[in-house]
Structures are given as C-alpha cells and as structure tokens.
Amino acid sequence: MKLTVNGQSHEVAAGTLAALLVELDFQGGWLATALNGDVVPAGERDRCLLAEGDRIEILSPMKGG
C-alpha cells in the first residue's frame, strides 16, 4: 500500500504501525509516532492498523546542538 512517511511516499507491505517501523528499519528505545496527525503511543503501535493513503510521522532523537 502507498503511505506518506515523514513527507515522503513509500510503497509498503506493513499492515500495522509496529510492522511499518520494522519494515523501514526504525529502531531504538525512543521514537514518537503519529498517524494522520494523531499521536500513537508505543504500546498501541501493534494494534494501529494502516490504510492506503495514511500519513505517518516518525520522530527520533538526534545528537548535536
């Protein structure tokens, strides 16, 4: 299905937000996620179903200043 992730179009097989993070190789203990503008807590990502055209934002901390 086609999704927009962090402003870029992606064709993915993932059906849940948790599976999408694995498919796109987002790893780490701290990530913030949003689906169509709504924050999705880490504990709900495996139950958060994705649909064609969804917009996902994935934020991770960066080093620097």
Side-chain angles (χ1 to χ4, degrees):
M1 88 181 85
K2 188 173 270 191
L3 304 173
T4 301
V5 180
N6 293 345
Q8 296 184 353
S9 181
H10 288 268
E11 187 73 33
V12 299
T16 66
L17 185 52
L20 179 69
L21 293 175
V22 171
E23 185 173 333
L24 297 181
D25 201 28
F26 278 92
Q27 300 177 9
W30 190 93
L31 292 172
T33 55
L35 174 63
N36 298 323
D38 294 322
V39 173
V40 179
E44 295 180 17
R45 292 177 189 153
D46 60 341
R47 295 184 308 271
C48 182
L49 300 178
L50 301 176
E52 183 79 25
D54 278 346
R55 293 174 289 107
I56 294 96
E57 294 296 326
I58 305 168
L59 304 173
S60 61
M62 298 178 70
K63 292 182 181 180

